[in-house]
Amino acid sequence: MTSLTTFYLSRLLGCNIFDTRDNILGRIRDVYVRIHTSLDDNQSSNPQVIGFVVHVNGKNKDAVLDSLQIVKFGIHYKVQCQSMTLVSHGMFSGAFLLKESILDQQIVDINGRKLVRVNDIRMVAISAGTFVVAVDVGTEGLLRRLGVNMFFKRLLQPFGGNIPSKFILWDDVETIDPNTFNIQLSQTRSKLNTIHPSDLADIIEDMSKNYQAPIFSSLDEEHAADVLEELRVKEQVHIIESLPLGKAADVLEKMPANEAADLMDHLEDDKTEQLLLEMEPEASEEVRDLLEYPDGTIGSLMTSEILTFTAEQTIADVMEHIRVEKPEMESLYSLFVVDANNVLKGIITMRDLLVTDPQMHLEKVMNTNLNSVNDYDRLDAISGIVSKYNLLAVPVTNDHDELEGMVVIDDIFDELLGKKRAS
Amino acid sequence: MTIKKVTNSKFIKSIGLFLAILGPGIITGSVDNDAGGITTYSVAGAMYGYNLIWTLIPSFLVLLVVQEMNARMGIVSGKGLATLIRENAGVKITFFIFLGLLLADIGNTTTEFAGVAGSLEVFGVSKYISVPLVGFIVWILVVKGTYTVAERIFLIFSVSLLTYVVSAVLGHPQWAEIGHAIVKPDIKADGATITMVLGLVGTTIAPWMQFYMQSSVIEKKLKISQYNYVLADIIIGCIGTVVVAFFIIVACASTLHGNHIVINEAKDAALALKPLAGAFASQLFAFGLFIASIFSATILPLATAFYVCEAFGFDAGISKKWGEAQEFYTLYTAIIIISVAIILLPNAPLISISIWSQVINAILLPVVLICMILLVNNKKIMGKHVNKPIINIIGWATVVILVGLSLMLLVSSFI
């Protein structure tokens, strides 16, 4: 007779519990776990078992089982405990149920960056208590649940084959069910913040729509804006419509104005208006301008977040300005020189900034061979210019040659690949 | 913003919304009349004349109720039926359902390819050419990711199912008799009739369709505020299904039944129509069969592979590459290869395959329906959108009747 230190949740569920005198106390239906707030960073935050749902006399009751252990007699297992104490329902607030909210549900595999379904849960019983160690997402877990695991193992053994098993440590998963998620979130920062926005966007697209907005809300604002940008239009609209107005406006402000305008083009007019009013005036003004442009024109794709300078400024002035403002990468693709009337005079590239003497005036450095496009031109016009002149960004001017913004190569790529329109 | 100005009119706006939502119900409705369906309706018409047309009325009601539940579940929970079953019923029940679904669907896909073979034989194309070719086209459509385009083309083509109306009219049906037969059918309650009735209901409400319906609703990201449009879409789809079924039965009843011609396959019906209603009617019938078969032969293996993977947690979806969703593509390819291979076997027992896949369907349908009714009444999943009593009554009554009929069929087929 040995007692198991590690075991699977499926081994516990549906099992009779015996006391030391071999009386049946009830049947285990579910397991309550709680994640402790750890003051010491090195301490693991694995969920600890704090109670059970036990089926007693035809009813499900919350209970605490004293010194529970799984004992192995030969090939049979028995779940034993010293004593069982039934407790009131509110006892386990702040805890969640393993079977109800983890087993058979989808969770995010943080390292694999995708959604996986939990086939079983691996647990460990040590002196400090019983903890969840890992989730089983492999075929072996499925077969174990069906009760045919050993059969297949023996079947494959003579051929040297084995059943693929796959475990993910608890540290590397994140639940997505809103209830459980909120409980966890009250203790720790969402692990999803560590996933690259593009990957996280793919994961969110795969989720049930009811999970999308809560998951999205849990992200840090900057991260949220990056993720929103990467989502398909359908999901963008759904999330913006599901978020509270203030939160939605905050995220939209963090997005590049052209992306925000694209998104708002797909919302209802009333909703767009509400959001624009809620946003910071500066951000909403830019978006409003871009919204004026019909679909398929250069203006609808352009960004108005550009850096402009005058011909009299020096390279050093420009560098200083960039250091202070810390603009996004995209804004640095091309820098523009304009006159007092905002008419485009020249273009400075990043290379110019790096190789030129800092004291040089911009008028000496700038490229005056201007390949600009008009903001009401059709989009088809632009790809030719980009590939012909090997540009990272093309300036956009209006009918009076005033600089309105620029179109960057990333957005042209997206447009050409039809990524944003794919549904 | 020219587009937004146009939609200022409320009426036009609603129409636009409806057109955008349109699809799940209508596509499901079209796929409903697949090769198996056309065969069953043809045989029913040829054997029983107008006497089984009445079954379309309860079928319509049940189809409507079931699809409405699927749509509502999809909208409210945002999860597919396979996911909901797995998450709430555990691995064992899920395994049973999907094993059954897989077997039945391999059988059904075989029937679809039989439909392709049969319909093209009417035009003089050998099955040894048509079936591998169509199988390959169907496979490549999905693997190369042009499926969505194909689906739309098929949807437009599915209008050609209305050719059955023409086929039926060319056979000069007796409308008065049809009316009389619906109100007062002349049937005996023997084993063969029960099999036929069960076949008719089973082919109209195939289990895999419930999974398909729910997923398409989710794919469209519909909201509960759009429920009325969704309902309209479903009603149109169900009416379409039943109208087409009605005309197939009428076409076969008014020509074949009167002349005591016995048929086993839809192809036989097409061929038999020729001397009775003209070559044009015969070719139209075959063309309709071809379109229906190829449409379902594309959707069925794809849908099956998708739900199995969804339930067991494998990556799935046509937007994923082969390496990312190995189980999905392997399963999909296997279903097509097995089905095509069965058709190409000389003396393949097609009729028993078609009967057995219908029997599995008939056993599976109540199980899936019970799961659905339990899920749709679960407050944790559905909130305030749980079933109204009337829907529960129709649902449970359907389960009881189907289980009863299935048991009678099983018993009668073993004695």
Side-chain angles (χ1 to χ4, degrees):
Chain A
M1 180 185 122
T2 48
S3 124
L4 296 185
T5 43
T6 64
F7 56 91
Y8 294 101
L9 179 68
S10 62
R11 177 82 67 208
L12 277 183
L13 296 176
C15 281
N16 284 325
I17 316 159
F18 294 89
D19 66 7
T20 42
R21 269 177 246 109
D22 256 5
N23 298 316
I24 295 178
L25 298 173
R27 193 181 277 259
I28 299 182
R29 279 287 152 88
D30 211 333
V31 178
Y32 279 106
V33 292
R34 182 180 281 160
I35 298 173
H36 291 281
T37 328
S38 57
L39 298 171
D40 177 8
D41 276 349
N42 295 325
Q43 194 135 24
S44 80
S45 58
N46 286 23
Q48 182 180 11
V49 174
I50 56 164
F52 295 84
V53 177
V54 182
H55 196 72
V56 194
N57 301 330
K59 274 194 190 132
N60 285 337
K61 295 192 167 137
D62 290 352
V64 175
L65 300 176
D66 189 31
S67 53
L68 176 98
Q69 54 180 348
I70 299 178
V71 190
K72 190 175 180 183
F73 296 98
I75 54 164
H76 295 286
Y77 294 90
K78 199 162 120 186
V79 182
Q80 258 183 355
C81 71
Q82 291 287 337
S83 65
M84 178 170 83
T85 324
L86 296 182
V87 294
S88 68
H89 198 66
M91 175 83 177
F92 300 131
S93 64
F96 57 91
L97 288 163
L98 281 184
K99 175 172 180 257
E100 189 185 279
S101 53
I102 308 286
L103 193 66
D104 289 326
Q105 309 293 316
Q106 283 188 309
I107 51 165
V108 179
D109 170 1
I110 300 281
N111 294 330
R113 287 159 303 178
K114 59 178 185 174
L115 287 176
V116 288
R117 204 170 275 288
V118 180
N119 292 331
D120 211 339
I121 298 174
R122 184 92 169 150
M123 311 177 69
V124 61
I126 49 176
S127 58
T130 307
F131 296 89
V132 171
V133 196
V135 294
D136 182 347
V137 298
T139 313
E140 198 192 349
L142 266 184
L143 296 177
R144 188 184 317 115
R145 295 276 301 282
L146 288 170
V148 293
N149 192 22
M150 291 319 280
F151 170 74
F152 273 96
K153 265 194 177 157
R154 285 203 197 105
L155 198 70
L156 288 171
Q157 221 162 25
F159 309 103
N162 59 349
I163 305 157
S165 58
K166 185 164 191 248
F167 293 95
I168 310 175
L169 290 178
W170 182 262
D171 282 341
D172 300 326
V173 299
E174 184 67 273
T175 56
I176 56 171
D177 172 74
N179 297 326
T180 326
F181 189 73
N182 284 339
I183 292 170
Q184 285 210 31
L185 213 60
S186 58
Q187 272 109 16
T188 48
R189 178 169 171 269
S190 168
K191 294 172 204 162
L192 299 178
N193 279 308
T194 60
I195 300 183
H196 189 278
S198 299
D199 291 326
L200 191 50
D202 287 343
I203 292 174
I204 290 180
E205 281 168 6
D206 280 343
M207 280 179 196
S208 150
K209 70 170 182 180
N210 295 355
Y211 293 177
Q212 290 173 341
I215 290 290
F216 187 82
S217 310
S218 75
L219 302 173
D220 305 340
E221 245 165 49
E222 287 287 349
H223 201 60
D226 290 344
V227 172
L228 192 61
E229 209 180 310
E230 298 293 333
L231 284 169
R232 287 183 302 206
V233 171
K234 248 196 275 182
E235 274 79 15
Q236 287 182 330
V237 170
H238 170 71
I239 285 178
I240 289 297
E241 282 177 350
S242 315
L243 289 179
L245 198 61
K247 174 92 184 167
D250 287 346
V251 177
L252 285 169
E253 280 166 21
K254 297 273 184 319
M255 257 168 103
N258 59 329
E259 298 279 353
D262 265 2
L263 197 170
M264 285 166 136
D265 235 359
H266 293 91
L267 297 174
E268 300 206 341
D269 291 2
D270 303 349
K271 186 83 187 175
T272 306
E273 197 47 46
Q274 288 171 355
L275 283 167
L276 285 170
L277 288 174
E278 187 72 24
M279 284 164 72
E280 295 287 327
E282 203 182 320
S284 72
E285 198 56 44
E286 259 178 65
V287 176
R288 230 180 256 277
D289 287 346
L290 292 173
L291 275 174
E292 296 297 317
Y293 293 106
D295 253 5
T297 59
I298 300 271
S300 69
L301 197 66
M302 114 189 146
T303 166
S304 41
E305 278 155 41
I306 50 172
L307 299 175
T308 55
F309 302 93
T310 55
E312 297 77 41
Q313 285 180 288
T314 62
I315 293 288
D317 295 339
V318 175
M319 301 286 266
E320 180 58 25
H321 181 81
I322 291 173
R323 275 195 201 99
V324 173
E325 291 291 320
K326 298 187 176 52
E328 297 278 325
M329 181 63 200
E330 277 188 355
S331 311
L332 295 173
Y333 283 177
S334 245
L335 310 174
F336 303 101
V337 180
V338 292
D339 67 9
N341 297 321
N342 199 30
V343 172
L344 182 63
K345 288 293 170 197
I347 297 174
I348 309 270
T349 65
M350 271 192 279
R351 182 181 179 277
D352 295 333
L353 292 182
L354 295 171
V355 301
T356 320
D357 172 16
Q359 299 314 316
M360 195 88 99
H361 287 272
L362 294 186
E363 57 190 337
K364 298 269 165 50
V365 188
M366 70 189 189
N367 183 348
T368 51
N369 194 1
L370 302 170
N371 295 297
S372 63
V373 286
N374 188 280
D375 52 356
Y376 279 95
D377 281 350
R378 304 297 305 169
L379 274 174
D380 329 337
I382 206 158
S383 47
I385 295 177
V386 169
S387 88
K388 188 173 176 190
Y389 299 103
N390 297 324
L391 299 173
L392 286 176
V394 183
V396 181
T397 54
N398 62 19
D399 292 339
H400 311 291
D401 285 333
E402 291 159 1
L403 187 61
E404 288 281 348
M406 66 175 173
V407 177
V408 296
I409 192 163
D410 312 22
D411 293 333
I412 299 173
F413 258 125
D414 287 346
E415 187 67 30
L416 286 178
L417 291 172
K419 185 182 138 212
K420 302 275 156 158
R421 314 251 170 266
S423 50
Chain B
M1 305 223 105
T2 46
I3 302 163
K4 297 213 166 165
K5 261 174 212 150
V6 176
T7 50
N8 272 348
S9 149
K10 243 199 169 145
F11 176 67
I12 295 176
K13 204 167 181 171
S14 337
I15 299 241
L17 253 176
F18 178 64
L19 287 178
I21 289 167
L22 199 70
I26 290 176
I27 293 184
T28 314
S30 322
V31 184
D32 234 331
N33 288 323
D34 60 349
I38 295 172
T39 306
T40 314
Y41 300 136
S42 307
V43 174
M47 277 175 68
Y48 293 90
Y50 304 129
N51 288 317
L52 289 183
I53 289 182
W54 63 270
T55 56
L56 293 176
I57 297 169
S59 289
F60 171 76
L61 194 65
V62 174
L63 189 63
L64 191 65
V65 166
V66 169
Q67 295 205 349
E68 188 276 337
M69 284 200 280
N70 280 130
R72 188 151 38 92
M73 258 198 284
I75 295 174
V76 175
S77 74
K79 289 178 180 173
L81 186 55
T83 305
L84 284 177
I85 291 179
R86 167 72 194 269
E87 290 181 357
N88 293 282
V91 170
K92 281 181 185 149
I93 292 175
T94 313
F95 180 76
F96 168 73
I97 290 179
F98 285 91
L99 186 69
L101 197 70
L102 187 60
L103 289 178
D105 284 355
I106 291 176
N108 290 344
T109 311
T110 310
T111 320
E112 310 304 347
F113 281 113
V116 170
S119 59
L120 288 178
E121 269 168 19
V122 172
F123 296 102
V125 183
S126 157
K127 72 175 182 179
Y128 294 100
I129 298 171
S130 62
V131 172
L133 194 67
V134 169
F136 181 73
I137 292 173
V138 162
W139 181 78
I140 207 88
L141 264 181
V142 168
V143 176
K144 288 286 163 208
T146 38
Y147 169 74
T148 11
V149 181
E151 191 185 64
R152 273 169 216 162
I153 297 171
F154 285 137
L155 187 59
I156 295 165
F157 267 115
S158 70
V159 174
S160 69
L161 282 175
L162 293 176
T163 53
Y164 289 116
V165 180
V166 183
S167 283
V169 172
L170 288 175
H172 305 293
Q174 266 86 46
W175 296 106
E177 248 180 71
I178 295 172
H180 187 256
I182 293 174
V183 183
K184 213 176 161 207
D186 173 26
I187 43 163
K188 284 181 291 218
D190 55 2
T193 312
I194 293 172
T195 314
M196 199 70 246
V197 170
L198 196 60
L200 280 172
V201 179
T203 193
T204 316
I205 316 158
W208 74 272
M209 218 94 67
Q210 273 94 75
F211 295 89
Y212 182 77
M213 178 73 198
Q214 195 160 330
S215 302
S216 353
V217 169
I218 294 164
E219 187 57 33
K220 287 236 163 191
K221 285 263 176 322
L222 298 175
K223 287 175 281 191
I224 198 74
S225 59
Q226 297 165 321
Y227 175 78
N228 288 338
Y229 296 102
V230 178
L231 192 61
D233 174 49
I234 294 171
I235 292 173
I236 293 174
C238 292
I239 290 177
T241 305
V242 172
V243 164
V244 170
F246 171 80
F247 281 106
I248 296 173
I249 298 180
V250 167
C252 292
S254 52
T255 51
L256 310 182
H257 182 63
N259 292 290
H260 305 291
I261 296 170
V262 180
I263 59 167
N264 286 319
E265 283 183 59
K267 178 190 76 176
D268 299 347
L271 290 174
L273 275 175
K274 201 169 174 181
L276 300 168
F280 184 57
S282 163
Q283 280 164 6
L284 273 183
F285 197 98
F287 179 70
L289 175 64
F290 175 69
I291 294 296
S293 305
I294 199 171
F295 193 4
S296 306
T298 315
I299 292 187
L300 195 53
L302 183 67
T304 309
F306 189 82
Y307 307 133
V308 171
C309 289
E310 182 185 330
F312 294 107
F314 301 122
D315 275 329
I318 44 170
S319 59
K320 298 213 159 66
K321 293 193 193 67
W322 194 293
E324 294 171 325
Q326 241 167 353
E327 291 88 354
F328 169 67
Y329 282 113
T330 310
L331 197 53
Y332 170 70
T333 309
I335 295 172
I336 290 189
I337 290 178
I338 293 173
S339 313
V340 168
I342 292 175
I343 296 292
L344 295 183
L345 281 179
N347 305 321
L350 288 184
I351 293 171
S352 346
I353 289 173
S354 132
I355 288 172
W356 273 103
S357 51
Q358 280 197 25
V359 170
I360 301 177
N361 267 346
I363 299 169
L364 207 55
L365 184 57
V367 181
V368 174
L369 277 183
I370 291 171
C371 283
M372 275 179 60
I373 298 174
L374 292 178
L375 288 168
V376 85
N377 282 306
N378 184 337
K379 279 223 164 64
K380 268 190 184 162
I381 300 168
M382 298 298 292
K384 61 177 179 170
H385 299 287
V386 291
N387 264 2
K388 297 205 172 65
I390 177 76
I391 303 221
N392 276 333
I393 291 170
I394 296 175
W396 285 119
T398 310
V399 171
V400 170
I401 292 168
L402 280 177
V403 171
L405 285 174
S406 300
L407 286 178
M408 282 163 83
L409 173 68
L410 279 180
V411 170
S412 68
S413 65
F414 286 114
I415 48 173

